[in-house]
């Protein structure tokens, strides 16, 4: 555990002590503000039935930065070290493959969670400016953050896997982006084709949009929890085997 903690701390420093991490945080915080502002403008024009958080997590601005978060924070993890040659040195050190993979995954996942903290600040600013509490309840806040954590656990694993497949950051980012767009699109198929075909239940099961809708209303469904955690575990297992193969190959 001590070795894992040391590796995790080292990887996390790359996000929190370099300009890259702070630029990404500032960029995401800005877009989250724009997303909330656009929703409040819609509320001003006409009454909206869905709650504030789900509306914020459904805007085109949200989907734009949400999809790009994962390639940004995972593309360097293995690809950069492979390109620079430091990965080979790390693999010959007295550490296990699991410790290397999991430290990179946990550091990326921790930084991903940090990126969502500004939403709480935005809700507080709303209260300060208007003098009234933001129109959300605790169950909706916990549900929204819970599903974002679950989705991130799988999507970060996909990015780590893509980074382990290549020595090019750009290729790793493209693979991650393409895989996530494909996954999100698969969940939209019932909305496009209807529910009359066989297999529609499966597409509902993996629908990111439906999961966001359900959890952001303060409702909890065990099926998405099982789906994201099992897929994250499976993807990390694949990453472990790939990195382990490269380790012993060298």
């Amino acid at each position: 555990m001590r070795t894992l903690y040391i590796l995790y701390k080292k990887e996390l420093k790359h996000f929190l002590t370099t300009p890259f991490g702070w630029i990404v945080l500032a960029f995401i915080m800005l877009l989250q503000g724009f997303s909330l502002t656009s929703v409040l403008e819609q509320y001003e024009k006409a009454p909206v039935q869905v709650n504030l958080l789900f509306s914020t997590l459904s805007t085109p601005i949200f989907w734009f930065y949400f999809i790009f978060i994962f390639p940004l924070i995972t593309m360097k993890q293995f690809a950069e070290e492979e390109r620079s040659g430091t990965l080979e040195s790390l693999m010959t050190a007295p550490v296990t493959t699991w410790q290397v993979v999991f430290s990179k995954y946990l550091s990326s996942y921790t930084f991903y969670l940090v990126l969502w903290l500004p939403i709480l600040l935005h809700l507080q600013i709303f209260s300060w400016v208007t003098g009234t509490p933001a129109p959300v309840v605790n169950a909706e806040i916990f549900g929204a953050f819970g599903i974002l954590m679950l989705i991130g656990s799988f999507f970060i694993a996909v990015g780590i896997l893509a980074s382990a497949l290549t020595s090019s950051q750009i290729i790793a980012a493209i693979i991650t982006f393409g895989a996530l767009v494909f996954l999100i699109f698969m969940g939209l198929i019932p909305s496009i084709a209807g529910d009359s075909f066989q297999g529609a239940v499966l597409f509902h099961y993996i629908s990111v949009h439906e999961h966001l809708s359900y959890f952001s209303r303060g409702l909890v469904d065990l099926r998405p929890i099982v789906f994201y955690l099992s897929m994250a575990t499976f993807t990390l297992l694949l990453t472990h085997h790939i990195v382990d193969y490269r380790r012993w190959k060298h």
Side-chain angles (χ1 to χ4, degrees):
M1 288 296 294
R2 184 173 181 273
T3 302
L4 175 62
Y5 174 73
I6 292 172
L7 291 172
Y8 164 74
K9 188 176 178 181
K10 170 182 170 290
E11 295 293 337
L12 189 59
K13 278 185 177 180
H14 290 311
F15 292 112
L16 302 181
T17 62
T18 61
F20 170 79
W22 290 100
I23 290 172
V24 171
L25 178 59
F27 180 67
I28 297 302
M29 186 175 181
L30 180 65
L31 291 180
Q32 286 173 351
F34 283 143
S35 183
L36 179 59
T37 301
S38 66
V39 169
L40 292 176
E41 289 176 350
Q42 293 176 12
Y43 275 37
E44 188 178 13
K45 294 176 182 177
V48 181
Q49 293 183 350
V50 295
N51 67 65
L52 179 64
L53 271 180
F54 177 64
S55 298
T56 304
L57 300 178
S58 302
T59 64
I61 298 174
F62 165 79
W63 287 107
F64 170 78
Y65 73 75
F66 182 69
I67 294 175
F68 278 99
I69 282 176
F70 302 99
L72 273 176
I73 63 181
T74 61
M75 63 183 182
K76 286 186 175 183
Q77 293 293 56
F78 281 104
E80 176 62 18
E81 293 209 46
E82 175 73 15
R83 186 194 63 79
S84 62
T86 57
L87 182 61
E88 186 174 349
S89 301
L90 180 61
M91 290 289 96
T92 56
V95 295
T96 65
T97 304
W98 263 121
Q99 288 171 334
V100 174
V101 172
F102 209 53
S103 64
K104 290 182 178 295
Y105 171 77
L106 282 180
S107 61
S108 299
Y109 187 57
T110 301
F111 183 67
Y112 165 80
L113 296 181
V114 170
L115 296 179
W116 297 106
L117 294 179
I119 290 182
L120 297 176
L121 177 61
H122 291 152
L123 294 177
Q124 187 60 49
I125 292 174
F126 177 91
S127 299
W128 292 338
V129 173
T130 63
T132 58
V136 290
V137 297
N138 288 336
E140 294 168 351
I141 295 175
F142 288 130
F145 275 86
I147 192 60
L148 288 172
M149 290 173 64
L150 287 169
I151 296 171
S153 68
F154 175 35
F155 285 11
I156 288 292
V158 171
I160 295 293
L161 173 62
S163 186
L165 289 172
T166 178
S167 59
S168 169
Q169 294 183 47
I170 295 176
I171 294 177
I174 292 173
I175 293 173
T176 304
F177 179 80
L180 298 187
V181 169
F182 176 75
L183 285 168
I184 293 171
F185 174 76
M186 292 286 283
L188 295 175
I189 288 179
S191 300
I192 299 171
D195 294 327
S196 58
F197 66 97
Q198 291 184 346
V201 174
L202 174 63
F203 294 110
H204 282 294
Y205 180 73
I206 64 174
S207 174
V208 175
H209 188 271
E210 289 186 21
H211 299 158
L212 282 169
S213 173
Y214 201 76
F215 276 74
S216 61
R217 286 183 285 157
L219 304 174
V220 176
D221 187 351
L222 289 178
R223 290 172 298 176
I225 297 175
V226 173
F227 171 70
Y228 288 117
L229 294 183
S230 60
M231 290 304 296
T233 302
F234 175 72
T235 307
L236 287 175
L237 281 170
L238 284 180
T239 307
H240 172 271
H241 287 306
I242 291 170
V243 175
D244 207 39
Y245 170 77
R246 295 168 89 176
R247 179 178 192 171
W248 296 112
K249 181 181 178 181
H250 292 299

